[in-house]
Amino acid sequence: MRILSSGVYAACCCAVGVLWSCSDSSSNDISGSDINISSSTDYLWSSESGNSPDKNYSAENGGTNSSSSITSVSESSSGTSPGMSTDSRKSSSSNHTHRSSSSGSELGKSSGIQAKSSSSEGPFVYTSPANFADTVNGVAFNMVYVAGGSYTRGCDNCAEQDKIYESPSHKVTVSEYFIANTEVTIAQWNAVMGGKKSAWESDKAPKIGVSWFDANNYACKLGQKTGRQYRLLTDAEWEFAARGGKDGIADKFKFSGSNNVDDVAWYSENSSGKSHDVATKKPNKLGLYDMSGNSWEWVYDWLVAYTDADKVNPVQLTGSGNKTRRGGSYGEPAEFARVSRRAIRSRDGAADMGFRLGMSAELPPGMVSPCEAANPSAATCQGDKNRDCRLITAADEAWISDDYTVVIGENGVAAVSGFPNVSGQWYTLNNRSFNVVTKSGTKTYAYYVFSEDELTMISDDGIPYRLYRRAASEAKNKVSLPTVSSPKTLQQLLAAVEPERIVTDEQLAHPDTSVRDPRIAAASGYTWFFDGRCCGGNHKYRFHLDKNGDAEFVVMDYDDTHHENILAKGRWFTVGNIGLHIVLNGKYFNYLYTAGERTMSYSEYMPAGPIFCHISFQSYERGDFRIFNKTLFDDKIKRPRGFNGENPVYEAGDYQWGS
């Protein structure tokens, strides 16, 4: 049985459209106009002296170099798109329509910007790359051409805690592309999405609080309005541009455009705890602003450790649950603004998450269109309610991760690789609990179908799975569907299920909020605790579920163990021993959970003993999972916080269950 997708897969038209408009910008105002990096004289210096642009750059003088002046604008005699090789121009022009909504300039024109020079042989003439600008509802989108090239991505001499995602360094080659000269601003966001800024916002500030899906949706809509292939940048493209492209990589700057973070970045020590207007710090050699600091920037890739192999146009298409963010932010220390720094982030985003646009004639290998990425389909299908047909794999398919493989047959048998492998007949309960009946008992997994090709599962003994629907031949760990002698009917399997796990549709719609699974209620003197060091994370988590019904989910930083951030708080109840819900004043925080026993210690962070595992949905980091250990209270890093005398108002509101 094949899954019928219910997602919206809008197709974006592809066009390269390389137009050039040149004028001397005297301010960094982007509201209804552009930040005209295309004419920035930071690029201009004497061909003889080889001097770099004036170091005394400031926003007040519009980024101009006082030692240079623009004297003329001329057309290129080549009649081809500036910044592209002859071969690439031929290929591009023969396959794509070039158009822009911003200017009457024609393809094949470039700008020759003359700068004063001390040379007696005449002025040095800088020929601009094929930058272009689109205008939507009076707001400009300035795109900077980045010629393809090779560079060394990553960092081998960074701090030990950063090496997990930055090393080993390795050679990367990227093809040409375009990149926005700033993060997407509030004005640019509203021009496309139709919103209005708040009274306390600046049009020129970066749009923040954006999820990975929001960013893709924005690129989708902008592409539909302009006819171009706008998209998120790849991780490799982002770092290449942050380093200044082909002409900037030799500088080996720690930050994007400088070794002095204050020259180029708004970060925790100079931002006063808030974002600032874009382009108020110095740009890098490509003319890109705020690649370090101000707001975090989404890229397309999942966050996975590097390998040392050379790569060409790499895109990390699968991962363990979180995408990559780049550049640091106004709330982070300077180290986070380094050009090689990568950080983990759930696709649901964070308060300081923004993004920057990319554009190319074709999508990088394996990347789906932003319209498709913005609207992942959980799929719909028809089948028995106790055999969720979204899970079924065809004969040549499997659910695959780096470490695990799951095959689920339409005939009611399934196999899961693991320690040991699990196989037998299967059934599901309420589209949340996947169960495999083996000779020795029933193995239970909480599962969350994120899209028709992505699935999260976690077992009752704490083994997490982030799975992708792929060709079965791609699996590293091969499993096959078993032959079950004397198979039971589905009705016979369900008849053996514990009564507390059976939930009717009526109970789902109107649950008994006094029901609390005693397996996950905190024992006296204990709490549930997860130390992220076990899995390369930067946080500790505590999930306290008091027997009296109070709940609190807290994250703690390593560098300040007494600082806690509350992720969820309120009254808790469970549904069918699989759904955990925390509600406060009508707001729900929803989790799928399992409870079990770890039979042996894997590390100091993953000791033997009782465990509680959850998958988030409709709340913090949707689709992500955590594995908590039963832990004694500790006054420092594992202390209970409770409600400190607070008395939250409990109003159940509208119960939310579906994904």
Side-chain angles (χ1 to χ4, degrees):
M1 179 180 299
R2 296 299 299 146
I3 293 175
L4 305 175
S5 171
S6 63
V8 179
Y9 295 130
C12 294
C13 298
C14 299
V16 176
V18 283
L19 305 179
W20 175 252
S21 176
C22 184
S23 63
D24 183 14
S25 175
S26 59
S27 75
N28 289 317
D29 185 4
I30 61 91
S31 178
S33 61
D34 57 33
I35 305 174
N36 202 330
I37 305 308
S38 57
S39 65
S40 171
T41 54
D42 281 304
Y43 288 107
L44 309 182
W45 55 87
S46 168
S47 59
E48 288 192 351
S49 67
N51 293 332
S52 63
D54 187 356
K55 294 181 179 179
N56 296 319
Y57 174 91
S58 69
E60 285 75 14
N61 64 23
T64 58
N65 185 332
S66 59
S67 65
S68 302
S69 62
I70 299 174
T71 58
S72 69
V73 176
S74 61
E75 288 187 17
S76 168
S77 60
S78 67
T80 55
S81 299
M84 290 185 175
S85 67
T86 302
D87 290 341
S88 66
R89 285 190 293 267
K90 288 179 180 178
S91 173
S92 177
S93 62
S94 63
N95 295 317
H96 300 280
T97 302
H98 303 273
R99 72 186 190 188
S100 171
S101 58
S102 64
S103 170
S105 301
E106 296 176 357
L107 178 68
K109 293 185 178 181
S110 66
S111 299
I113 302 177
Q114 290 188 342
K116 290 183 179 180
S117 169
S118 59
S119 172
S120 59
E121 297 179 1
F124 167 74
V125 177
Y126 171 74
T127 301
S128 71
N131 299 0
F132 73 89
D134 277 330
T135 300
V136 175
N137 292 325
V139 177
F141 296 78
N142 289 282
M143 302 298 292
V144 175
Y145 175 79
V146 183
S150 299
Y151 72 106
T152 300
R153 180 170 65 165
C155 171
D156 288 324
N157 61 353
C158 48
E160 196 63 34
Q161 67 267 22
D162 295 328
K163 288 183 178 180
I164 184 173
Y165 293 133
E166 296 184 53
S167 64
S169 60
H170 54 285
K171 181 181 177 182
V172 170
T173 301
V174 294
S175 300
E176 62 184 6
Y177 59 98
F178 293 85
I179 183 173
N181 62 356
T182 72
E183 303 116 323
V184 169
T185 66
I186 290 173
Q188 290 173 330
W189 177 272
N190 291 340
V192 173
M193 308 303 285
K196 293 183 179 179
K197 75 179 184 69
S198 301
W200 59 86
E201 292 179 323
S202 167
D203 272 339
K204 294 174 281 187
K207 175 66 178 177
I208 55 177
V210 179
S211 75
W212 187 85
F213 301 104
D214 293 336
N216 277 285
N217 191 38
Y218 180 87
C220 169
K221 291 184 180 298
L222 180 60
Q224 290 169 341
K225 290 178 181 294
T226 61
R228 300 188 197 273
Q229 185 63 73
Y230 282 106
R231 57 176 174 82
L232 290 181
L233 298 156
T234 69
D235 179 80
E237 289 171 337
W238 191 98
E239 185 167 326
F240 185 56
R243 291 180 181 275
K246 291 175 64 175
D247 296 329
I249 54 177
D251 295 330
K252 297 183 178 179
F253 286 141
K254 182 176 182 180
F255 307 102
S256 184
S258 178
N259 284 323
N260 183 349
V261 66
D262 288 294
D263 285 348
V264 295
W266 293 110
Y267 66 108
S268 59
E269 295 300 314
N270 67 7
S271 69
S272 299
K274 62 182 180 180
S275 64
H276 290 254
D277 287 357
V278 300
T280 50
K281 289 287 186 178
K282 182 180 178 180
N284 73 1
K285 191 164 276 186
L286 279 171
L288 307 178
Y289 294 87
D290 301 306
M291 293 291 282
S292 288
N294 215 7
S295 78
W296 282 107
E297 298 181 19
W298 285 117
V299 295
Y300 186 86
D301 302 51
W302 293 93
L303 186 61
V304 171
Y306 291 142
T307 64
D308 59 4
D310 293 355
K311 298 171 179 65
V312 177
N313 293 323
V315 190
Q316 184 61 45
L317 300 175
T318 61
S320 59
N322 293 278
K323 292 290 186 177
T324 305
R325 53 176 169 164
R326 287 290 206 148
S329 80
Y330 62 86
E332 304 286 5
E335 279 298 302
F336 282 50
R338 293 182 294 106
V339 291
S340 64
R341 183 62 157 81
R342 306 164 81 214
I344 196 167
R345 187 68 253 171
S346 160
R347 285 171 287 184
D348 285 331
D352 55 356
M353 280 302 311
F355 66 107
R356 185 182 301 257
L357 291 167
M359 200 284 289
S360 57
E362 297 180 355
L363 292 171
M367 182 184 288
V368 301
S369 76
C371 301
E372 182 176 340
N375 298 283
S377 169
T380 59
C381 56
Q382 294 181 348
D384 193 290
K385 61 178 286 187
N386 291 116
R387 282 206 170 119
D388 187 345
C389 50
R390 298 176 300 170
L391 306 181
I392 295 172
T393 55
D396 58 348
E397 288 182 337
W399 292 103
I400 296 172
S401 72
D402 288 340
D403 301 311
Y404 300 103
T405 305
V406 180
V407 290
I408 303 174
E410 189 174 3
N411 64 350
V413 293
V416 181
S417 72
F419 306 100
N421 291 350
V422 174
S423 63
Q425 291 184 268
W426 68 277
Y427 64 89
T428 57
L429 297 176
N430 305 116
N431 289 350
R432 289 294 179 265
S433 171
F434 172 66
N435 306 269
V436 181
V437 180
T438 71
K439 293 179 180 179
S440 58
T442 300
K443 186 73 171 177
T444 297
Y445 306 81
Y447 74 93
Y448 179 81
V449 179
F450 208 96
S451 73
E452 65 177 283
D453 295 319
E454 184 184 347
L455 170 68
T456 297
M457 290 194 337
I458 197 160
S459 68
D460 50 12
D461 56 2
I463 302 299
Y465 303 76
R466 176 76 68 168
L467 301 161
Y468 301 90
R469 187 188 296 272
R470 297 286 186 266
S473 59
E474 297 181 29
K476 295 179 182 178
N477 301 295
K478 307 293 185 182
V479 291
S480 57
L481 294 176
T483 299
V484 179
S485 59
S486 302
K488 295 181 179 179
T489 66
L490 179 58
Q491 289 68 31
Q492 288 173 321
L493 294 174
L494 294 173
V497 176
E498 300 90 335
E500 62 268 22
R501 299 182 62 209
I502 299 295
V503 180
T504 66
D505 291 340
E506 173 60 25
Q507 288 172 317
L508 279 177
H510 302 95
D512 182 350
T513 57
S514 67
V515 173
R516 299 183 184 94
D517 186 344
R519 299 177 302 161
I520 62 174
S524 178
Y526 288 86
T527 192
W528 293 110
F529 181 74
F530 170 56
D531 193 326
R533 285 187 190 273
C534 73
C535 314
N538 295 315
H539 301 292
K540 309 178 189 75
Y541 297 88
R542 181 173 53 78
F543 211 134
H544 196 72
L545 301 168
D546 197 278
K547 290 181 179 180
N548 69 8
D550 288 343
E552 189 174 60
F553 181 23
V554 170
V555 61
M556 295 168 277
D557 295 330
Y558 281 113
D559 52 2
D560 178 9
T561 55
H562 287 271
H563 175 72
E564 294 185 348
N565 181 33
I566 298 175
L567 304 175
K569 184 176 181 177
R571 300 285 292 177
W572 70 281
F573 63 93
T574 57
V575 178
N577 279 10
I578 197 72
L580 168 64
H581 305 277
I582 300 174
V583 61
L584 178 64
N585 297 332
K587 178 177 176 59
Y588 276 85
F589 304 89
N590 301 314
Y591 309 89
L592 301 169
Y593 75 95
T594 60
E597 189 88 9
R598 185 182 288 125
T599 57
M600 61 180 290
S601 294
Y602 294 103
S603 70
E604 63 177 303
Y605 306 113
M606 303 178 72
I611 57 173
F612 154 62
C613 313
H614 79 220
I615 301 172
S616 299
F617 74 100
Q618 293 181 331
S619 52
Y620 180 72
E621 298 191 340
R622 177 173 33 151
D624 207 4
F625 41 71
R626 288 168 197 84
I627 306 166
F628 298 87
N629 306 304
K630 183 180 178 181
T631 309
L632 286 167
F633 285 153
D634 185 291
D635 286 340
K636 293 182 179 179
I637 63 172
K638 303 163 191 173
R639 68 193 187 284
R641 179 169 169 168
F643 288 90
N644 296 327
E646 297 175 30
N647 185 24
V649 177
Y650 174 51
E651 297 176 2
D654 294 327
Y655 175 63
Q656 302 172 27
W657 172 253
S659 60

